[in-house]
Amino acid sequence: MADMPATETHCPYCSLQCGIALRPTTSAVRLAPTDFDVNRGGLCAKGWTAAELLDHPDRLLTPLVRKDHGDRASPLREASWDEALDRIVAAIRDSQRRYGRDSVGAFGGGGLTNEKAYALGKFVRVALGSASIDYNGRFCMSSAATAANRALGVDRGLPFPLADLAEARTVLLVGANPADTMPPAMQYLDAGRAAGARHLVVDPRRTATARGAYRHLQPLPGTDLALANGMLHVAIREGLIDEEYISDRTTGFPAVRAAVNAYWPQRVERITGIPEADLRETVRLLAHNGPAVILTARGAEQHSNGTDTTQAYLNLALALGLVGRPYSGYGTITGQGNGQGGREHGQKADQLPGYRRLDDPAARAHVAAVWGIDPAELPRPGRSAYEMLDRLGTADGVRVLLVLASNIAVSAPHSNRILDRLRALDLLVVSDIFRSETAALADVVLPAAQWAEEDGTMTNLEGRVIRRRRALAPPPEVRTDLAVLAELAGRLGRGRHFSADPQTVFDELRRASAGGIADYAGISYDRIDAEGGVFWPCPADDHPGTPRLFSDGFPTADGRARFVRVEHRDPAELPDAEFPYVLTTGRNMQQYQSGTQTRRVRSLTVALPEPRAELHPDLARRHGIADGDLVELRSRRGRTVARARLSVDIRPDTVFVPFHWPGANALTNPALDPHSRMPAFKACAVAIAATLCPPPAPGPPDGAENPEHSTTEGISR
Ligand code: SF4
């Protein structure tokens, strides 16, 4: 093969979507960063090594089916595409005949391109006629999205370009650790600090981001809402709020003012553990040392009150008059690669493309017209992610499930329950690039093209729509998800509504989103190529796109932002005598999501070969645990074993476990936020003990047919 020209595309991992150039050569695919206006030549270790995935020996290269059809204990064997698709279509038809249309469903992912997320939502509604679809972004961004929609009328993670952070004089980061999770983003925060900006980090752990900040506030997990209400209490008492902004641009402040009256600093200190002096200093900096930005991320959002917690920080930002002013405002740092676009175009249970609602008659009529169907054919909203997974295989639940770009056996909360439910399915179909823990349970596994082998668009954390470009052809028996969905739709008699061509799908997405909140009507592949990305909303070909939102108003009925009264409540599960500590989960620098990809990259696993349970030395001493010892963690839902990493950077009452390996989510609590249906990943009660039981096997499971090999065990409720 002669060396080919470089193709400019983007990293396959997080929402920063760093620009990279790929050059296939005779011996390997060479990867280098580009000067894309986000990473500006920077990459993290995950991005630098992403090309290792392309010809990885674990790559799925042909469809797999169970040797004995219907017997999940039988081994997976290679199959033709015809045999695999025949099995899927037969199971769909049988299930829908016996149990109704909603008995067949799909679970998507925030890593899918906009085209694939859109096509999956349409496939479920049009080809299956089913209400049963949701995706792993429900476990990631849903609380921030719900709160932003409630307060601002729109959910776009950052309503300004990332580079604006360099101009902010004060930045409050709540439950966010970009120094570890997206290091190239730190160039903007570093530039701000070099110019004298003050950064304050709220996190139960002294993370790399917290270590570099001016101040670290270290609350008990699950108390961020009380902290925000306490800050607003101080702002009101000290006359720091922007009365004119509140009067001119918002509604609902009196109720919030009344509510935060009860959050005096001494009470907030008792709830959160944050000293009164730090509380007051933070508010004074936000008010006096502007421009100021408040950022939240999963640490604040992944709770059973995550929507209200995010809302509390939005209330604070609005009361201080930050939102819509230059280099000021509120934002949430999106996690997954297409976490933004993936939550806009219809793979959520209650959603149609363009951020339209499935229960809105006008939205149904618009989208049905684009799709060429009767609006009455569109199903009603379905169940949210955990609620759908929790009922798999039951009489009124999904019995045939198609999973794209998601490893729910590892990433869903209360994972032992989810493993049971996955096994109860009549047919589990997984499309992936590797045999993930979820794929290992499947009846049919479809080998998917990966990031460098397909065209499409992604929408990064700023709301900038960018091109993912094909740099090389997929292996011969590997297909794109778009091609698979179009083929399945054809076999189900709905083929005329679907295309396997990404640009055709994107052009249809543009029409379907036109007039919606996330309006892509004026964005085309040609414009993205010419302009290096286009920010939505962009309603027309001659519209410049919208890098900054809210300067002229809010997309609410009256053009005003909305305060919403929110109150602190305890986490869904509190420590007690049996489970005396708080578990919080999160990420390591070297790994990404459930690790399906990064646990297969050699240099990343050398740097971090296994999960480490982070404990304060005082806590470890009480249990006779030394650094590197094995520690058993138990919650009411399960147990796991990991090596201890002793660190003074974590609170003595809190244990941290990364979620990139099986185990962490055996412990987590599926208590759901009432508004967003987000599970309480970030706070549950655990017990710890030294153990001699071996830890999980490091790295990727070798053809793991049983993810419980990792010593994760269920404990009945
Ligand atoms: Fe990839 Fe995110 Fe790392 Fe950039 S920061 S190289 S997008 S993983």
Side-chain angles (χ1 to χ4, degrees):
M1 179 176 72
D3 288 1
M4 296 168 64
T7 301
E8 292 203 358
T9 185
H10 296 271
C11 174
Y13 299 117
C14 85
S15 66
L16 209 56
Q17 285 297 289
C18 293
I20 57 176
L22 287 177
R23 184 189 300 277
T25 71
T26 46
S27 56
V29 177
R30 307 226 177 278
L31 180 154
T34 68
D35 60 358
F36 173 56
D37 189 28
V38 171
N39 56 311
R40 297 183 181 171
L43 288 180
C44 76
K46 298 186 288 291
W48 274 112
T49 56
E52 286 185 36
L53 301 174
L54 296 170
D55 60 352
H56 195 284
D58 287 355
R59 185 81 192 270
L60 291 169
L61 296 173
T62 183
L64 305 172
V65 299
R66 290 287 161 196
K67 182 163 173 285
D68 300 319
H69 187 29
D71 177 5
R72 203 162 285 152
S74 74
L76 287 164
R77 64 161 172 81
E78 294 185 358
S80 69
W81 274 97
D82 262 342
E83 182 183 7
L85 295 173
D86 282 349
R87 280 200 187 186
I88 297 168
V89 170
I92 290 171
R93 290 212 165 105
D94 183 54
S95 188
Q96 292 197 319
R97 182 176 50 77
R98 294 168 65 189
Y99 304 106
R101 287 192 166 274
D102 294 348
S103 69
V104 181
F107 198 93
L112 293 173
T113 61
N114 289 319
E115 290 80 354
K116 291 193 284 188
Y118 169 85
L120 183 62
K122 181 180 171 185
F123 175 81
V124 171
R125 276 65 175 248
V126 175
L128 299 178
S130 168
S132 302
I133 179 171
D134 214 55
Y135 82 123
N136 64 18
R138 182 75 67 177
F139 298 155
C140 185
M141 294 305 304
S142 58
S143 287
T146 305
N149 278 320
R150 206 160 68 168
L152 310 174
V154 60
D155 155 44
R156 201 182 86 184
L158 294 184
F160 43 73
L162 187 70
D164 280 12
L165 292 178
E167 308 299 327
R169 303 285 300 165
T170 300
V171 181
L172 175 64
L173 297 110
V174 188
N177 181 19
D180 273 338
T181 57
M182 47 178 63
M186 292 304 290
Q187 62 186 290
Y188 303 106
L189 291 168
D190 291 346
R193 277 207 308 276
R198 295 279 169 90
H199 295 168
L200 306 102
V201 173
V202 178
D203 200 305
R205 300 163 62 219
R206 191 168 175 78
T207 62
T209 309
R211 281 195 290 278
Y214 163 73
R215 187 74 69 214
H216 176 208
L217 285 63
Q218 198 165 15
L220 184 67
T223 64
D224 293 325
L225 193 161
L227 185 64
N229 276 3
M231 289 182 194
L232 185 49
H233 174 103
V234 169
I236 293 169
R237 289 297 164 94
E238 296 192 4
L240 302 176
I241 60 172
D242 188 333
E243 300 276 10
E244 189 178 335
Y245 179 98
I246 293 169
S247 164
D248 291 349
R249 303 199 58 183
T250 71
T251 59
F253 186 61
V256 171
R257 181 197 289 267
V260 302
N261 204 24
Y263 291 80
W264 57 93
Q266 299 84 357
R267 178 185 172 218
V268 171
E269 181 171 340
R270 280 199 300 278
I271 296 171
T272 65
I274 301 299
E276 178 180 345
D278 288 352
L279 188 74
R280 291 189 185 279
E281 181 190 39
T282 304
V283 180
R284 289 169 187 163
L285 281 169
L286 287 169
H288 288 314
N289 191 44
V293 171
I294 298 174
L295 297 172
T296 65
R298 304 307 82 69
E301 299 159 10
Q302 288 179 316
H303 294 274
S304 59
N305 67 346
T307 301
D308 284 353
T309 300
T310 312
Q311 183 75 52
Y313 286 93
L314 277 156
N315 286 343
L316 179 64
L318 291 170
L320 295 173
L322 305 182
V323 182
R325 292 208 161 121
Y327 309 116
S328 290
Y330 163 82
T332 177
I333 302 176
T334 299
Q336 294 190 79
N338 198 28
Q340 180 67 54
R343 66 185 192 259
E344 298 167 356
H345 297 298
Q347 60 175 334
K348 287 175 81 171
D350 53 357
Q351 189 190 65
L352 289 170
Y355 240 135
R356 286 185 161 91
R357 292 186 59 85
L358 193 49
D359 59 4
D360 173 1
R364 294 169 68 88
H366 171 83
V367 173
V370 173
W371 287 354
I373 61 170
D374 186 324
E377 288 183 52
L378 288 171
R380 293 283 148 189
R383 293 181 174 124
S384 73
Y386 187 80
E387 291 164 300
M388 179 167 75
L389 298 177
D390 189 46
R391 289 176 174 79
L392 295 180
T394 62
D396 73 337
V398 167
R399 305 186 68 95
V400 173
L401 182 69
L402 172 61
V403 178
L404 264 59
S406 192
N407 188 11
I408 44 186
V410 175
S411 62
H414 192 2
S415 55
N416 295 311
R417 166 76 182 167
I418 299 306
L419 291 170
D420 284 347
R421 298 328 310 156
L422 288 169
R423 292 190 188 102
L425 285 164
D426 294 334
L427 192 87
L428 173 61
V429 182
V430 174
S431 173
D432 211 323
I433 56 178
F434 295 116
R435 194 189 293 205
S436 69
E437 286 82 354
T438 309
L441 295 170
D443 303 282
V444 180
V445 181
L446 304 177
Q450 52 174 310
W451 58 289
E453 299 163 353
E454 61 181 6
D455 283 307
T457 60
M458 307 283 277
T459 305
N460 81 345
L461 77 171
E462 311 164 287
R464 188 188 319 232
V465 185
I466 53 178
R467 282 286 308 280
R468 169 178 279 187
R469 296 184 183 86
R470 176 172 148 141
L472 66 164
E477 285 300 308
V478 166
R479 295 187 184 179
T480 68
D481 288 326
L482 281 184
V484 172
L485 292 174
E487 174 70 22
L488 284 173
R491 289 171 182 239
L492 291 165
R494 302 291 264 175
R496 71 182 178 85
H497 296 281
F498 291 85
S499 170
D501 174 56
Q503 191 162 359
T504 302
V505 174
F506 187 74
D507 286 342
E508 185 186 296
L509 180 160
R510 294 168 61 193
R511 295 196 300 281
S513 74
I517 291 172
D519 191 335
Y520 283 39
I523 304 174
S524 65
Y525 278 22
D526 287 346
R527 272 194 71 177
I528 298 171
D529 290 345
E531 300 172 29
V534 182
F535 291 82
W536 70 261
C538 181
D541 292 343
D542 59 355
H543 188 283
T546 315
R548 294 177 182 83
L549 298 171
F550 313 133
S551 54
D552 299 326
F554 297 92
T556 54
D558 59 5
R560 291 167 174 263
R562 293 177 287 239
F563 283 94
V564 179
R565 177 178 181 149
V566 290
E567 301 279 0
H568 166 75
R569 58 185 164 83
D570 286 332
E573 188 174 77
L574 288 172
D576 57 17
E578 190 181 357
F579 300 100
Y581 307 113
V582 179
L583 172 82
T584 193
T585 63
R587 290 176 54 183
N588 295 128
M589 177 189 271
Q590 294 85 357
Q591 297 291 332
Y592 180 71
Q593 300 299 86
S594 71
T596 301
Q597 296 164 92
T598 49
R599 279 189 275 140
R600 290 180 163 85
V601 176
R602 191 176 168 278
S603 60
L604 299 178
T605 53
V606 165
L608 188 66
E610 60 182 359
R612 288 293 189 107
E614 203 171 300
L615 312 173
H616 194 281
D618 292 348
L619 174 59
R621 201 174 304 120
R622 229 175 297 148
H623 291 271
I625 297 167
D627 193 67
D629 281 358
L630 297 177
V631 54
E632 179 197 60
L633 298 106
R634 282 189 305 115
S635 77
R636 289 184 173 81
R637 293 156 294 279
R639 65 180 283 274
T640 192
V641 174
R643 285 196 189 282
R645 176 176 174 271
L646 305 196
S647 170
V648 294
D649 290 336
I650 190 165
R651 292 175 56 103
D653 53 9
T654 302
V655 181
F656 170 85
V657 177
F659 56 57
H660 309 294
W661 290 265
N665 279 316
L667 308 169
T668 50
N669 186 356
L672 300 182
D673 179 292
H675 308 289
S676 66
R677 319 308 286 167
M678 164 73 80
F681 285 106
K682 286 291 190 279
C684 72
V686 291
I688 65 169
T691 181
L692 297 175
C693 175
D702 295 330
E705 297 288 328
N706 177 8
E708 289 164 322
H709 80 295
S710 67
T711 72
T712 297
E713 291 175 6
I715 292 175
S716 60
R717 287 212 265 190

